[in-house]
Each structure stands twice: as C-alpha cells, then as structure tokens.
Amino acid sequence: MLETWRWYGQFDGITLPEIAQTGAAGIVTALHEIPYGAVWPRDAIATRKAQIDQAGFSWSVVESLPVHEDIKRGTGDLARLFANYRQSLANLAAEGVQVVCYNFMPLLDWTRTELAAPVARGGSCLRFSADRMAAFELHMLGRAAAADDYPEDVRARAAIWFQQASQQDRDDLLKAIMSGLPGAFDRYDIDGLRRALRAYDGIDRTALRANYQRFLAEVIPAAADLGIRMCVHPDDPPRDILGLPRIVSDGDDLAWIAQAFDDPANGFTLCSGSLGANPANDVPAIARMVAGRIHFVHLRNVRKFPDGSFEEAAHLEGDTDMVALIGVLLAEEARRRATGRADHLIPFRPDHGHVLLSDFDRDLVPGYPLIGRLRGLAELRGVMHALAAGAGQPGAMV
C-alpha cells in the first residue's frame, strides 16, 4: 500500500522535512484557503504540487475538495457550483492529481466534544461524549427535539454537566465541535449555528439522498473522463447529529451510493475510525463488500461505549480488527495487481493519533499530531509487512 501523510499546508505546524522523516511517500492535502464553491485555479494547484514535489513527495490525494452547502441543500445557483467543481477537477487532472476525497456531511465535518481527553499512561486523544453532545444540543443550542435523540440517562448526565460547567467549559465544548472544519471559512457561534441549522429545515434523509444523487450525476461523468477517482468519506460520527441526516454511515449507505451512479470513478474513502464508531458496522466486512471501489484509506481505531460515546484508540487497539481489515485491503491490492493495473497501490494514511511527548508543546491541527501518527504508521507498516510476507506478496507496500 502507498504510505501517505495528511498535511495542511500553511495551516500546519508540521513541516514537509519533518514528514519526510516518517518514511511516507505521498502527501494528502488541499487548498484550504480557497472558499467553498470557488474554482481551484490551476496555477495555485501547480504551486502546491511543486512545493510537494520539491520536498521529495507526490501529491497522492486531495483531501478534501469541499462540496458547497447549497449543493447539499439543493438550493442556490447549482449550475455555477457544479461547473466550478468540474473545473476544479479538470485543473487537478491537468496537474496529475487523480484521487479526490470529499464528504457529504451537512454543515459539520468530523465532530468531537473533547480535543484532549486523557489516555492511560499519558497522552491525550479526541473524544465524542454523548453526555456533552446532549448538553450542547439541549442546553446550549436549545434544540428541543434533541430530547428524542438521547436516552433518559444521557439527558440526566447532560443536565448535570451543564449545571456544573463553567463558561470556559462551555466555550471549549463549542470550540471542539467546530474544530472539525480545518481551513473552512464558516465558524459558528451559538446564534450562527442556529441560523445555519434553520437553512436545513425540511431536509430529511430522502431529500439529502436526492441532492447527493444529483451531485454524483453532475460530477462523476466529468471525473471519469478526466481519469479522476472520487472517494466519499463516511460520516463522522456515523449517526444523525444536530437534527441533520447522515447518509454515508453504514454498509447499506455505501451500497446505495455505489448504485446511485454506477461507475468505478464513484468510490469510497474507507475510514476505519468513522465506520468503526457505529456498533453495528463490521468494518472488515464492509471493506470486503466495496473493495473494488476503495480509492483511499484512513486507518485509525476507536473504542466505543454503551451510551454512544467513543474515543480515539491506538491504531492497533480499539474495537476494529485492524489486522483483518488490512488483510482485506492487501487482498484487493493483489487482485488489482493481477489484472495489470498500473495504479494497483491503494493510498492510505495513519489517521488521527494520540498527542504524545513533545507534541503537547506544539500548535498542531486537532487530531493530527506528529508523534502519535508516526507511532500509528510504524505499527500499521509492521502489520502490512507481516501480512504481505505471509501471503507471498513482495513489494506490497511503498
């Protein structure tokens, strides 16, 4: 598999020379400074690619080319937005970038309630607390319908947390929930979030699916013509949140997406952490089901709790059988190699990581420390080497 590393460009406290020391061969990045819905200019793409090339890497995956909220809602000047998206794809293809990750999560990207939850023996991790999310929705946002989304015991603990929380605690909770939008131009306070949510009034799962299918119909043919592989990222967490529907959360959702526009260019970012946060998901089985459409992989692990909470675990710990999952991916890669595909290597990156050691003293993107991800990459690399050697697949990893 192709080892890659997510880098946030000028927003990242980790430098390309530091990333080179991890051994990764590819960079996963985006033009985070460009507003959603605008065209990514070819010269800006070329400048970023040259920077990556000069540091000794390839620009392996775009993560992400964002989908404007009007497309998700089915409102506004959709013709212009679709045309802009297709032009951005054309500009990326002209510079040789051929894998594009995106998501179709309404309003928010990944959502956590704690950015520095302590872990055993030191370090910290990202955490999603059902209690704190309920406190936010019920007592800070004032979304009355949220009472139906949480069991009574969670609502009770949420009320206690809110009563005991200082203003700083509440501010930190809002900051954590907003932190899943790196480089985004929309950041919400409570009133702003209420207004943004009202714009989704009347949009249920069926309507969101219809809007997504329209997006696929507008974009996938162009991507296929350009040789670009599109790969949607699963919902994180894989459940409805803030009253907004989520439609990329389980195997049934992925099966629907594959058929909504049946073309190899319409594929998936297999994120083991996002899918793994749903107790009903068997992540290796889902990977096996959609293996031929997996264009990019995020490998991380989560530990789940009965109340719906979860936290980031070490890469080989947590609830997902990472060894079994990697076995599925290596088998798919071997199948592609056997067909003569020149692009048989599947790019993956170690996703998220615990904050460890000197990373506590650095200003880093939440979830993306250097040392914790390096630890994860080393562990995943070891599993891949062992499985590839056992299957007689020399050169199965770069």
Side-chain angles (χ1 to χ4, degrees), residues 62-134:
V62 169
E63 185 177 0
S64 296
L65 181 56
V67 179
H68 195 278
E69 293 301 313
D70 278 349
I71 293 175
K72 299 174 189 176
R73 292 189 298 257
T75 60
D77 187 356
L78 294 178
R80 178 184 62 83
L81 290 172
F82 288 133
N84 286 358
Y85 204 96
R86 290 190 295 264
Q87 186 61 55
S88 294
L89 292 178
N91 292 345
L92 285 163
E95 295 300 325
V97 184
Q98 294 182 308
V99 181
V100 174
C101 174
Y102 68 100
N103 75 69
F104 215 78
M105 289 180 260
L107 206 59
L108 296 181
D109 203 319
W110 61 264
T111 303
R112 299 293 186 272
T113 60
E114 295 165 76
L115 301 180
V119 297
R121 305 182 70 182
S124 69
C125 69
L126 302 177
R127 193 171 197 278
F128 180 90
S129 162
D131 296 357
R132 294 194 187 191
M133 195 68 205

Side-chain angles (χ1 to χ4, degrees), residues 2-14:
L2 177 67
E3 294 182 359
T4 68
W5 191 273
R6 191 168 193 184
W7 179 59
Y8 288 94
Q10 68 269 41
F11 300 102
D12 205 325
I14 299 171

Side-chain angles (χ1 to χ4, degrees), residues 8-87:
Y8 288 94
Q10 68 269 41
F11 300 102
D12 205 325
I14 299 171
T15 66
L16 289 173
E18 287 178 304
I19 296 171
Q21 296 178 57
T22 70
I27 292 295
V28 175
T29 193
L31 302 184
H32 296 291
E33 65 276 14
I34 296 180
Y36 290 12
V39 172
W40 284 18
R42 182 171 175 181
D43 60 349
I45 295 168
T47 298
R48 179 61 54 84
K49 185 175 184 295
Q51 182 183 14
I52 292 167
D53 290 345
Q54 289 165 10
F57 298 97
S58 62
W59 187 352
S60 303
V61 181
V62 169
E63 185 177 0
S64 296
L65 181 56
V67 179
H68 195 278
E69 293 301 313
D70 278 349
I71 293 175
K72 299 174 189 176
R73 292 189 298 257
T75 60
D77 187 356
L78 294 178
R80 178 184 62 83
L81 290 172
F82 288 133
N84 286 358
Y85 204 96
R86 290 190 295 264
Q87 186 61 55

Side-chain angles (χ1 to χ4, degrees), residues 151-173:
E152 183 178 355
D153 60 327
V154 171
R155 297 198 306 270
R157 291 195 300 271
I160 293 171
W161 182 89
F162 181 75
Q163 291 164 5
Q164 297 177 344
S166 65
Q167 186 58 51
Q168 186 62 55
D169 293 332
R170 298 171 190 178
D171 291 344
D172 288 345
L173 178 55

Side-chain angles (χ1 to χ4, degrees), residues 171-222:
D171 291 344
D172 288 345
L173 178 55
L174 175 62
K175 178 182 176 182
I177 291 170
M178 291 294 107
S179 290
L181 296 168
F185 283 76
D186 288 331
R187 286 293 191 276
Y188 305 109
D189 57 16
I190 293 295
D191 287 338
L193 183 55
R194 289 188 185 118
R195 289 192 298 271
L197 288 170
R198 283 196 293 272
Y200 273 91
D201 284 351
I203 298 178
D204 59 10
R205 178 180 177 83
T206 299
L208 189 61
R209 269 192 167 185
N211 295 339
Y212 186 22
Q213 191 163 24
R214 178 190 300 150
F215 170 79
L216 294 174
E218 291 278 355
V219 168
I220 296 301

